[in-house]
Amino acid sequence: MNEKIIADLHTHTENSDGTYSVENLIKLAKSKGLKVLAITDHDTIDGLFETDVLSKEYDIEIINGIEMSCNLGGKDVHILGYGVDIQDSDFKKELIRIKKIREERNDKIIEKLNELKLNISLEELKEIAKGDIISKAHFAELMMNKGYVYSKREAFKNYLGRSGLAFVEKKNYKPVDAVKMLKKNGAFISLAHPKLITENDNELESLIKELKKEGLEGLEVNYYSFNKKDKKKYAKIAKKYNLVITGGSDFHGKNRVDVSLGDSGLNGKEYAEFKKSLKKK
């Protein structure tokens, strides 16, 4: 029998592409009996400035985190940072630069959709996105609301995904740059959902070796869509490269309906190992 999950270290709020406010996410975590919650919004720390107060109010440990959206050779690579210093001015400047990259891509997606007679405007997207980050999930929601697609899945398959008619590659932002930035910030660094990057183990291990030189410390072994065989394989790779196991549900609220908060994460023993590494920072 599996030990109870006490820590969900991969979650998103309305500050990026989730649908819960920070406080409502924390309330949900408390109601599910979680002891620890990491908030890891994409490329933003906007939701982290009241977590100390909310942690005390709801008696749950909150870890300030982030998920950096990178790309390498046409593949999406996501880097998780834990215990980020949200007062770091250099870090904030870099996030502003990355936000501009995202905005440039969004403008191109809007242009492509409009050429396809799917009229989408930035103003409409801003009304849907409660935070400062506009993601493809917001595009999908707006397209569904306007009757252009029947579901968000259809929006990604036909238009927004890699083989879609309106796909735009994000301007090159390499995972090694994200690792360097997070190391400078003092965060604990983990490679998110490795199976989603590549199922070629040689490619994955080559990436891990490169990132470990720059400060990679963890590997997301426990992920909501991974089966037992996957977890066993990635745990073996983590051990091989002396990486700490991390894990989480990648909860997005209504933007990802096939997973609930706490469906994946760390049990007590795994969290103690992770916490030990986090305290060294």
Side-chain angles (χ1 to χ4, degrees):
M1 189 175 175
N2 291 331
E3 283 188 61
K4 184 184 175 185
I5 290 167
I6 67 158
D8 191 332
L9 301 185
H10 193 161
T11 68
H12 299 275
T13 75
E14 62 188 14
N15 289 286
S16 63
D17 55 351
T19 59
Y20 279 66
S21 68
V22 172
E23 184 168 8
N24 284 339
L25 182 68
I26 291 169
K27 280 183 186 176
L28 181 61
K30 184 70 177 176
S31 73
K32 285 181 170 285
L34 290 170
K35 305 293 183 188
V36 186
L37 179 74
I39 296 169
T40 55
D41 278 313
H42 290 285
D43 306 329
T44 182
I45 55 172
D46 286 354
L48 303 180
F49 292 92
E50 293 182 6
T51 52
D52 284 350
V53 173
L54 291 170
S55 175
K56 288 172 186 171
E57 185 178 341
Y58 292 98
D59 190 27
I60 182 170
E61 184 179 351
I62 307 297
I63 296 172
N64 286 339
I66 194 166
E67 184 175 16
M68 304 305 303
S69 307
C70 310
N71 57 301
L72 185 68
K75 291 183 171 69
D76 290 328
V77 181
H78 290 183
I79 306 294
L80 291 158
Y82 296 107
V84 295
D85 177 3
I86 60 175
Q87 303 302 336
D88 180 349
S89 58
D90 288 339
F91 185 58
K92 288 179 184 177
K93 283 175 191 171
E94 182 65 2
L95 292 180
I96 290 168
R97 188 185 74 81
I98 292 163
K99 181 172 177 279
K100 285 177 181 173
I101 293 172
R102 184 185 287 271
E103 287 170 348
E104 286 169 11
R105 182 184 66 169
N106 287 343
D107 288 342
K108 290 175 184 175
I109 295 172
I110 291 169
E111 193 178 320
K112 280 197 171 191
L113 288 170
N114 288 342
E115 285 171 3
L116 294 165
K117 307 299 181 191
L118 303 177
N119 295 317
I120 297 282
S121 71
L122 184 59
E123 289 68 30
E124 289 172 315
L125 286 164
K126 284 179 177 176
E127 284 178 18
I128 284 177
K130 292 177 182 175
D132 208 25
I133 297 287
I134 293 173
S135 73
K136 288 194 283 188
H138 299 122
F139 275 92
E141 185 176 345
L142 181 56
M143 290 170 75
M144 195 170 72
N145 291 348
K146 297 189 86 167
Y148 297 145
V149 292
Y150 289 108
S151 66
K152 292 176 184 177
R153 189 184 294 273
E154 184 191 345
F156 275 91
K157 183 181 176 184
N158 294 343
Y159 300 102
L160 305 171
R162 188 159 289 277
S163 58
L165 295 170
F167 176 76
V168 177
E169 186 79 67
K170 190 175 180 182
K171 189 177 175 182
N172 197 29
Y173 183 57
K174 293 180 181 177
V176 69
D177 294 329
V179 170
K180 285 178 180 177
M181 178 182 74
L182 287 165
K183 182 171 183 176
K184 191 179 173 188
N185 175 268
F188 176 96
I189 308 155
S190 180
L191 181 63
H193 38 61
K195 187 179 179 181
L196 274 59
I197 301 168
T198 178
E199 294 195 49
N200 182 315
D201 292 350
N202 290 330
E203 275 185 11
L204 177 64
E205 291 194 40
S206 177
L207 175 63
I208 287 171
K209 285 176 193 173
E210 182 189 6
L211 298 182
K212 198 169 186 327
K213 286 176 192 171
E214 303 300 337
L216 183 72
E217 300 158 280
L219 185 67
E220 192 171 43
V221 170
N222 300 339
Y223 186 69
Y224 88 96
S225 66
F226 289 1
N227 58 35
K228 284 182 181 179
K229 189 178 176 183
D230 294 331
K231 289 176 185 177
K232 190 175 179 181
K233 180 174 88 167
Y234 295 120
K236 192 175 177 182
I237 291 173
K239 187 175 182 181
K240 180 178 178 180
Y241 292 98
N242 195 28
L243 297 172
V244 177
I245 288 172
T246 68
S249 64
D250 203 0
F251 181 72
H252 282 69
K254 291 177 183 176
N255 282 337
R256 183 167 288 162
V257 295
D258 58 335
V259 62
S260 297
L261 189 67
D263 275 1
S264 189
L266 301 185
N267 61 35
K269 185 180 177 183
E270 290 167 334
Y271 181 66
E273 284 301 309
F274 169 79
K275 184 73 173 180
K276 208 189 300 177
S277 299
L278 199 61
K279 278 183 177 176
K280 290 176 185 174
K281 307 305 290 179

